[in-house]
Amino acid sequence: MSGKHARLMREKNTIRAMIVIYCRDKHATKGSLCPNCEELMSYAKARLTKCPFQEAKTTCAKCPVHCYKPVMRDKVKDVMRYAGPRMTFKHPVLALFHFVDGLRIRKPRKGR
Ligand SMILES: [Zn+2]
């Protein structure tokens, strides 16, 4: 009975959960988001809502529409890199890691 938008809902919930963790730790907010993170959140939600592929989409990596502006992509990457490993629930993380793939996060290298 999972509706057509179950996946999108889950992605939205996932990204929200991550932004909340990130904002709480990095920006010392409690239960709400700072204006910056709020903006990122609505941006990410809007992108998901407008994604022309919706349920048919594979991962953002393979998506022909590169819908994130570079600056927003960087912010989302930051959030995911920070909050991803700190997520305490499992299943959405899988979807999330597709998304992370899509954003091509690289592991930080040691030394430089
Ligand atoms: Zn914040």
Side-chain angles (χ1 to χ4, degrees):
M1 65 158 278
S2 68
K4 196 172 181 304
H5 299 294
R7 179 173 170 178
L8 285 180
M9 283 301 298
R10 199 174 59 208
E11 292 198 13
K12 283 179 190 177
N13 287 338
T14 303
I15 196 157
R16 174 159 193 100
M18 288 197 299
I19 293 176
V20 167
I21 292 171
Y22 180 85
C23 193
R24 185 193 62 202
D25 289 3
K26 298 273 187 176
H27 308 143
T29 51
K30 280 185 187 165
S32 61
L33 299 174
C34 73
N36 267 335
C37 293
E38 194 63 64
E39 188 196 351
L40 180 62
M41 179 68 212
S42 16
Y43 185 81
K45 268 204 297 208
R47 300 265 61 80
L48 279 173
T49 304
K50 287 178 187 161
C51 177
F53 302 99
Q54 299 292 309
E55 296 298 299
K57 99 184 163 75
T58 52
T59 73
C60 291
K62 294 171 184 152
C63 184
V65 180
H66 294 292
C67 61
Y68 273 72
K69 290 190 290 192
V71 62
M72 286 304 195
R73 198 162 56 202
D74 282 352
K75 284 191 192 180
V76 167
K77 271 203 294 198
D78 238 36
V79 167
M80 287 187 175
R81 199 152 39 194
Y82 180 81
R86 289 170 177 78
M87 301 278 280
T88 50
F89 48 102
K90 289 175 197 154
H91 64 104
V93 173
L94 296 176
L96 151 73
F97 277 113
H98 276 305
F99 198 50
V100 170
D101 279 349
L103 296 166
R104 291 202 293 165
I105 287 178
R106 293 197 199 110
K107 296 210 168 127
R109 294 187 185 187
K110 287 193 171 172
R112 50 167 75 174

